[in-house]
Amino acid sequence: MKSNLSEFTPLAPLDLAAPASDDLETFKPENVCSKMIRYKVENGRLTRLDFTGGCDGNLKAISALVEGMKVTDVVDKLKGITCGKKDTSCVDQLCVALLGAAR
């Protein structure tokens, strides 16, 4: 079966300049596929988490799993996880953001 590439709609570029939700922290991760992490911590718990870019399905799943967890538990479980040959990952970068916000 021959595929016609003109049938596919190109992906829209990431709008990194778009305003973040009014009460979300914003973090720009380094050396990973995701380009932006937006999150909210309330009473020591991660109550909202959105990744821009990266492995969409995996990061949506991670977001759903960790929302509502204590920040300390999230960091304990995800800090130091690597991706491929990289020395970090999107979730490791989330921990960097959460640890930086705790200071």
Side-chain angles (χ1 to χ4, degrees):
M1 176 188 271
K2 202 171 187 180
S3 174
N4 182 356
L5 293 179
S6 65
E7 296 173 9
F8 297 103
T9 305
L11 294 174
L14 296 176
D15 186 3
L16 298 180
S21 181
D22 50 308
D23 57 352
L24 297 181
E25 297 291 329
T26 302
F27 179 78
K28 187 173 191 264
E30 296 180 5
N31 302 320
V32 294
C33 297
S34 64
K35 302 301 177 200
M36 188 75 63
I37 302 172
R38 293 187 180 106
Y39 63 95
K40 183 173 183 180
V41 175
E42 293 179 294
N43 299 317
R45 293 187 178 270
L46 190 60
T47 59
R48 174 95 187 269
L49 177 60
D50 295 305
F51 289 87
T52 301
C55 302
D56 189 52
N58 291 335
L59 294 174
K60 284 179 183 173
I62 293 292
S63 296
L65 290 170
V66 301
E67 282 184 16
M69 286 179 62
K70 291 181 183 176
V71 168
T72 54
D73 291 341
V74 172
V75 171
D76 287 345
K77 289 188 180 289
L78 303 179
K79 187 174 186 295
I81 290 178
T82 60
C83 183
K85 294 181 181 180
K86 298 175 185 175
D87 62 354
T88 189
S89 65
C90 294
V91 294
D92 184 55
Q93 288 293 294
L94 168 63
C95 294
V96 170
L98 293 172
L99 289 170
R103 292 181 183 161

